[in-house]
Amino acid sequence: MTAFARRARASAGRMHPELSLVSYTLLGHLEESGGCRATDLAAHYALDKSTVSRQVAALERARLIERRVDPDDHRVQVLHLTAAGRRILAQVTESRRTAFRERLAGWPREDLERFAAYLVRYNAWSPESAGDEAEGR
């Protein structure tokens, strides 16, 4: 897992020198969610609010995200991707897909299917599901 994380961090820098793995992840979440508060990002990724705040500030300076007032609660600011943020996210996503395709090109179909199933299982894990697995559910 450590090697996997190191490769992911290194490849993020190669794909876009100004976009760290954390930044890429935050941009992806903002795209998927249609925008959210910085506190929501911190809670979702179990990151310290100050860490998210620094990342958000850097993304704002790079004009990849912007703050908008929540129409339902004018006291709340929601983070959204800018057009430039969408473009860079799309470029990096395509570069990552190409890298994965190249890396997995020689794998037999059965191995790819098994690997995909393991990734789905790994990503679905939560503390609640761990209790279910321990009890044989």
Side-chain angles (χ1 to χ4, degrees):
M1 291 305 293
T2 302
F4 183 78
R6 275 194 202 120
R7 272 193 212 109
R9 279 192 297 275
S11 67
R14 284 191 306 271
M15 289 178 209
H16 193 282
E18 298 164 25
L19 201 59
S20 71
L21 180 60
V22 172
S23 295
Y24 173 76
T25 303
L26 297 180
L27 290 176
H29 185 80
L30 289 174
E31 181 181 55
E32 283 179 27
S33 66
C36 67
R37 299 173 304 160
T39 54
D40 297 331
L41 287 172
H44 182 77
Y45 290 106
L47 293 170
D48 186 74
K49 289 178 186 177
S50 64
T51 300
V52 171
S53 180
R54 284 191 298 277
Q55 293 292 327
V56 165
L59 291 170
E60 283 181 301
R61 279 192 305 275
R63 300 189 195 290
L64 301 178
I65 64 171
E66 63 187 4
R67 295 176 189 264
R68 297 183 199 157
V69 174
D70 185 330
D72 298 326
D73 185 347
H74 289 36
R75 298 169 296 170
V76 175
Q77 291 188 336
V78 179
L79 303 170
H80 291 274
L81 292 177
T82 62
R86 284 188 212 303
R87 274 193 308 277
I88 286 179
L89 182 61
Q91 289 169 358
V92 173
T93 298
E94 186 52 38
S95 294
R96 289 174 58 96
R97 285 183 180 145
T98 299
F100 283 128
R101 274 190 222 101
E102 290 170 359
R103 188 172 206 115
L104 300 172
W107 287 34
R109 181 171 184 80
E110 307 81 49
D111 288 353
L112 288 171
E113 289 171 355
R114 196 172 17 251
F115 182 56
Y118 288 146
L119 286 174
V120 167
R121 181 177 172 192
Y122 179 82
N123 287 326
W125 184 89
S126 70
E128 296 80 28
S129 69
D132 291 346
E133 288 176 7
E135 295 173 15
R137 285 188 242 163

